[in-house]
Amino acid sequence: MKRHLIIVLLIGLILTGCGRDISSVESSMIGHWKETFNDGETGEIYISKDKFITVINGTKMTYEYKIVSENDKKKEISFVTKGAEDDSIKYEQKFLNKKMTKLNSTVDALNMKLGGRKGDETLDLIESLATSLNVDTHVTTKWKYVDGKTQP
């Protein structure tokens, strides 16, 4: 009986040691996430220590990213992605549970830098209208952790 109990305890310790690193918000980001937009559409996100990959509607985009700020107590992190065409997007994320498997991810649509420019005349007009009408340009999506994969 004691032998069985020891074996069960050892297996438990081994399995616990093989788990995901959630010791910080930065390490908790690593892995494969399912992103759900407000309209119900979904995308896949893969994050490694140096790459941020999105797969939305079958289109794969690969970015480098840089952590801007992190607060382990508040379970918050901000980072900026940089793509091949000098695109950049700033993400602000808030983990919603202790297991670090759910988070809200917010992007300010007007501060996206696409195609190497912050915007063009059309985007400048939209920004002006949004400001004058006091429209919130922040887009928040829900992310759910899937597994430890860092590549599609």
Side-chain angles (χ1 to χ4, degrees):
M1 183 70 176
K2 279 185 176 183
R3 177 182 276 174
H4 293 296
L5 181 60
I6 291 171
I7 291 172
V8 169
L9 288 174
L10 285 173
I11 290 172
L13 285 172
I14 291 169
L15 290 176
T16 303
C18 296
R20 179 170 156 246
D21 181 5
I22 59 169
S23 62
S24 69
V25 289
E26 182 177 354
S27 64
S28 298
M29 286 183 13
I30 305 299
H32 172 202
W33 296 83
K34 180 177 182 179
E35 179 178 31
T36 304
F37 299 90
N38 291 336
D39 63 2
E41 186 177 336
T42 61
E44 304 292 322
I45 307 289
Y46 299 86
I47 302 175
S48 66
K49 292 186 183 220
D50 60 347
K51 297 284 185 225
F52 180 91
I53 300 169
T54 63
V55 180
I56 300 172
N57 294 327
T59 302
K60 177 183 167 186
M61 302 287 286
T62 302
Y63 305 90
E64 294 176 354
Y65 74 93
K66 178 180 154 186
I67 304 291
V68 176
S69 66
E70 64 181 299
N71 185 321
D72 288 327
K73 268 191 174 177
K74 291 184 177 182
K75 297 183 185 174
E76 297 174 344
I77 190 165
S78 296
F79 60 94
V80 176
T81 61
K82 183 178 180 187
E85 295 182 21
D86 206 24
D87 299 348
S88 69
I89 301 171
K90 182 179 181 185
Y91 291 81
E92 296 188 8
Q93 299 184 317
K94 168 85 175 151
F95 284 90
L96 303 174
N97 61 353
K98 286 185 179 183
K99 293 182 180 180
M100 308 293 258
T101 57
K102 295 179 181 178
L103 62 84
N104 283 341
S105 181
T106 303
V107 171
D108 185 349
L110 290 179
N111 285 325
M112 294 172 146
K113 187 176 175 187
L114 304 173
R117 352 164 253 203
K118 181 177 177 197
D120 57 23
E121 291 177 12
T122 305
L123 290 177
D124 290 342
L125 177 62
I126 292 170
E127 182 176 10
S128 177
L129 284 170
T131 302
S132 65
L133 296 173
N134 199 26
V135 174
D136 185 10
T137 58
H138 292 84
V139 176
T140 300
T141 58
K142 298 194 179 304
W143 290 22
K144 186 173 181 183
Y145 182 78
V146 177
D147 55 42
K149 293 179 186 174
T150 57
Q151 295 279 332

